[in-house]
Amino acid sequence: MNCLSVSRRVQVVAALVEGNSVNSVSRMTGITKRAILSLLAEMGCACAEYHNKNVRNLEARRVQGKLKDPTTGVAIGFLAFVF
């Protein structure tokens, strides 16, 4: 299995963070979409592991997010205050 160099990984992640699509990053870097998606999955696991280890004992006073209505598929925003 071929591995991307650290500099190529940085290039791909930077382009994705800037808001470019996987297809455009593939065209810009010459890296296959499959390799980009694999790197993205790997980065997601690494971020989740970091978050689980380092984010603890927080007091949330305001939680904001989105839910999707299962019947219509429409996104519903919510805002919750925790006291």
Side-chain angles (χ1 to χ4, degrees):
M1 180 174 152
N2 294 332
C3 292
L4 294 174
S5 67
V6 173
S7 63
R8 297 287 278 176
R9 288 173 175 241
V10 168
Q11 184 182 19
V12 169
V13 172
L16 290 170
V17 168
E18 287 177 8
N20 293 299
S21 68
V22 173
N23 285 335
S24 65
V25 173
S26 177
R27 286 191 304 270
M28 291 183 326
T29 61
I31 298 171
T32 64
K33 289 190 281 186
R34 185 175 185 161
I36 292 170
L37 292 173
S38 176
L39 175 61
L40 194 57
E42 186 180 321
M43 290 297 299
C45 291
C47 289
E49 184 178 332
Y50 176 83
H51 186 271
N52 289 335
K53 285 182 181 177
N54 295 299
V55 181
R56 295 281 178 225
N57 302 321
L58 298 177
E59 287 187 29
R61 295 176 191 223
R62 180 177 167 207
V63 179
Q64 185 174 349
K66 289 187 179 179
L67 295 175
K68 194 176 265 190
D69 183 2
T71 57
T72 62
V74 176
I76 303 168
F78 72 89
L79 178 63
F81 291 94
V82 180
F83 297 101

